């Protein structure tokens, strides 16, 4: 009898844990399905005739997410060039050949770190701003009022923001990668030896078209995820102002999780 | 003989139920250039009918025809287009908070390409000239007077030349002076644009002056009156109560 009750006491928490894991896994799949459906709705709402009216919003988004983020990206990329790239370059050249050293750096820093860190900055700066902006507009009925004038909210509100983020992520990733690599080589030359300038020529020839393709796809994909997650959560706000910080937090956390997961999947592929 | 065209026709149409209230079914025909005023003691009783007649709510029973087509048969895309013909102004201020008066006024027309850029500009400038508080036109809505915001909210759909314009509680929260100015503007819209106006309000004086038909809702009934006299003489108890409340309000204001 005592043994039976002991088994029951153990089996309840176990099933609860299984239940919890099951629910959370299901929630993740539902979230991904909803986000994918949202992206599909936004992209399928593109009407080239209407794009003219959203150009101003697209330009504003590019200025805010791209141009305004330049100082932050510049400082961060120079810091990384000095603290990581130059140090690694000096260290690696004593361990391996010149070409392998620069290929290794290009793979880790330019292809992996540059899009990832740019994405993290964009999530912190723009993703949260978009969610708050759209969420507040939703609460104040600004979006509903325009919908009642026949305006498609996906075309007018979500599309320019998503395109702006995709474009900004793509351009800033290239900018970040260039500074971090070229700056790193220059710093290594200044710290260690002027002969390190030769790596600039080796760098140009070490990047393969496939690596370049992966870099482009990754940057565009990261941009799509950041933009769509921000818009999805912003438009998910209903009537209460208290939902805005909740959705903003979800938008930031989910973007980060998705970005790192996709980065891991791309590396595995 | 020229007959008036029917824009909206409801036959025992019942709006969707809300948590606290089960609306009755409504039968009415709304013709072009008419002014219909929806009156009630509580705004929450009118709103379901405003949403139903404007095609936002499909209704749960009966039939509703909007622009010669059954409301339920409009696809999502068609319904979006329908809103350019049957426009709806929400209660209070729902202007885009990040743009000034001109951009707020033109954005829907530019989106729908309702005319060339010059035509849109001319139309917008004409409407802007009629606005009160002209010095605030370059401000963002947060820095505009409430009256200017209401004027802009009413003018924004006019850029699309709608056949019908639904206006939710236009006078709520305004001072007596502001109400008079806004009332004149609504009368001007009616005169200049010959748009059908469907307005929800609790202002009996407005209904008396401007309504061609009155739809009255209380918790139990929804009644259609063909003119002010029939509404005024109605034996309905809740209508007498509404008049009594309005009288008290007016006396309080005068004192």
């Amino acid at each position: 009898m005592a043994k039976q009750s002991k088994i029951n006491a153990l089996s309840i928490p176990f099933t609860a844990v299984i239940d919890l894991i099951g629910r959370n896994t299901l929630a993740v799949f539902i979230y991904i399905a909803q986000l994918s459906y949202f992206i599909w709705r936004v992209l399928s709402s593109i009407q080239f005739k209407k794009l003219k009216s959203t150009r101003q919003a697209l330009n504003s988004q590019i200025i805010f997410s791209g141009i305004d983020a330049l100082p932050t990206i510049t400082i961060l990329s120079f810091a990384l060039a000095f603290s990581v790239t130059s140090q690694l370059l000096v260290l690696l050249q004593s361990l391996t050949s010149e070409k392998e050293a620069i290929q290794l750096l290009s793979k880790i820093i330019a292809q992996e770190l540059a899009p990832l860190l740019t994405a993290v900055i964009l999530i912190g700066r723009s993703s949260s701003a978009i969610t708050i902006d759209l969420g507040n507009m939703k609460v104040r009925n600004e979006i509903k009022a325009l919908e009642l004038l026949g305006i498609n909210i996906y075309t007018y509100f979500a599309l320019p923001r998503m395109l702006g983020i995709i474009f900004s992520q793509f351009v800033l990733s290239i900018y970040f990668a260039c500074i971090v690599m070229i700056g790193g080589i220059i710093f290594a030359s200044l710290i260690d030896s002027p002969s390190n300038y030769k790596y600039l020529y080796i760098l140009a020839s070490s990047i393969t078209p496939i690596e370049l393709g992966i870099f482009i796809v990754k940057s565009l994909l990261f941009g799509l995820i950041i933009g769509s997650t921000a818009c999805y959560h912003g438009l998910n706000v209903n009537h209460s102002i208290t939902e805005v910080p909740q959705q903003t937090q979800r938008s930031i956390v989910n973007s980060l999780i998705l970005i790192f997961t996709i980065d891991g999947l791309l590396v595995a592929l | 003989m020229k007959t008036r065209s029917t824009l909206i026709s409801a036959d025992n149409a019942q709006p969707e139920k809300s948590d606290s209230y089960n609306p009755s079914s409504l039968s009415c025909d709304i013709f072009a250039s008419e002014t219909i005023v929806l009156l009630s003691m509580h705004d929450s009783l009118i709103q379901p009918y405003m949403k139903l007649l404007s095609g936002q709510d499909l209704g749960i029973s009966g039939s509703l025809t909007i622009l010669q087509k059954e409301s339920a048969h409009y696809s999502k895309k068609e319904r979006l287009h329908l809103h350019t013909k049957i426009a709806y102004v929400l209660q209070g201020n729902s202007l885009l908070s990040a743009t000034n008066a001109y951009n707020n006024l033109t954005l829907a027309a530019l989106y729908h390409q309702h005319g060339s850029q010059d035509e849109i500009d001319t139309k917008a400038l004409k409407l802007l000239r009629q606005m009160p508080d002209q010095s605030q036109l370059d401000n963002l809505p947060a820095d505009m007077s409430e009256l200017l915001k209401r004027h802009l909210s009413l003018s924004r759909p006019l850029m699309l030349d709608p056949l019908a314009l639904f206006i939710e509680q236009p006078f709520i929260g305004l001072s007596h002076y502001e109400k008079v100015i806004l009332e004149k503007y609504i009368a001007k819209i009616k005169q200049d644009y010959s748009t059908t106006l469907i307005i929800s309000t609790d202002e009996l004086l407005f209904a008396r002056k401007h309504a061609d038909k009155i739809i009255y809702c209380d918790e139990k009934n929804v009644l259609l009156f063909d003119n002010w006299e029939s509404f005024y003489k109605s034996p309905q108890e809740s209508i007498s109560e509404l008049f009594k409340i309005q009288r008290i309000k007016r006396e309080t204001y005068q004192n």
Side-chain angles (χ1 to χ4, degrees), chain B residues 132-147:
Chain B
D133 306 316
Q134 290 280 321
S135 61
Q136 297 176 5
L137 289 177
D138 286 333
N139 294 355
L140 295 180
D143 299 318
M144 288 176 187
S145 68
E146 196 53 45
L147 186 63

Side-chain angles (χ1 to χ4, degrees), chain B residues 21 37-49 169 199-204 207 214-222 231 238-239 241-243 245-246 249:
Chain B
Y21 162 61
V37 175
L38 281 88
L39 288 168
S40 176
M41 296 254 243
H42 309 289
D43 179 44
S44 58
L45 302 178
I46 310 176
Q47 251 195 4
Y49 296 100
Q169 299 286 356
I199 304 169
S200 71
T201 182
D202 54 1
E203 295 288 325
L204 290 178
I214 293 170
I215 295 173
Y216 174 79
C217 335
D218 60 21
E219 278 92 349
K220 290 172 195 159
N221 304 302
V222 54
F231 174 70
S238 62
I239 294 179
E241 192 70 21
L242 184 68
F243 275 103
I245 292 168
Q246 283 279 317
K249 260 191 190 171

Side-chain angles (χ1 to χ4, degrees), chain A residues 49-50 140 142 149-150 152, chain B residues 80 83 95 97 111-113:
Chain A
K49 279 198 294 183
K50 311 280 185 198
R140 287 193 297 250
E142 292 173 27
L149 292 176
N152 185 327
Chain B
L80 214 55
H83 290 317
L95 299 169
S97 52
Y111 177 85
H112 292 294
Q113 293 172 324

Side-chain angles (χ1 to χ4, degrees), chain B residues 11-12 43 67 80 96 107 137 153 167 173 208:
Chain B
D11 183 17
N12 276 319
D43 179 44
L67 303 181
L80 214 55
L96 263 194
L107 65 89
L137 289 177
S153 298
I167 310 172
R208 196 182 77 181

Side-chain angles (χ1 to χ4, degrees), chain A residues 92-186:
Chain A
L92 281 173
Q93 58 187 322
S94 62
L95 298 172
T96 180
S97 70
E98 288 171 348
K99 191 158 188 187
E100 276 177 353
I102 205 74
Q103 273 177 342
L104 207 61
L105 274 178
S106 154
K107 188 113 184 122
I108 295 168
I109 293 171
Q111 285 174 49
E112 288 303 320
L113 272 180
L116 213 55
L117 285 175
T118 311
V120 171
I121 292 168
L122 276 188
I123 289 169
R125 279 189 88 255
S126 308
S127 168
S128 51
I130 289 174
T131 311
I132 292 168
D133 184 33
L134 288 178
N136 282 335
M137 283 204 274
K138 197 88 193 283
V139 172
R140 287 193 297 250
N141 269 338
E142 292 173 27
I143 291 176
K144 179 82 185 162
L146 290 187
E147 212 177 350
L148 290 175
L149 292 176
I151 290 177
N152 185 327
I153 59 166
Y154 296 107
T155 315
Y156 197 79
F157 290 104
L159 189 66
R161 283 166 175 80
M162 276 169 61
L163 291 179
I165 291 278
I166 291 170
F167 181 77
S168 303
Q169 166 71 27
F170 177 64
V171 174
L172 289 175
S173 293
I174 295 171
Y175 177 74
F176 192 103
C178 288
I179 292 187
V180 104
M181 286 307 292
I182 297 167
I185 293 169
I186 293 169

Side-chain angles (χ1 to χ4, degrees), chain A residues 249-267:
Chain A
Q249 178 239 334
R250 270 179 221 156
S251 150
I252 293 171
V253 172
N254 291 347
S255 290
L256 284 171
I257 292 171
L258 285 171
I259 293 294
F260 278 90
T261 310
I262 283 174
D263 192 49
L265 286 174
L266 284 174
V267 169

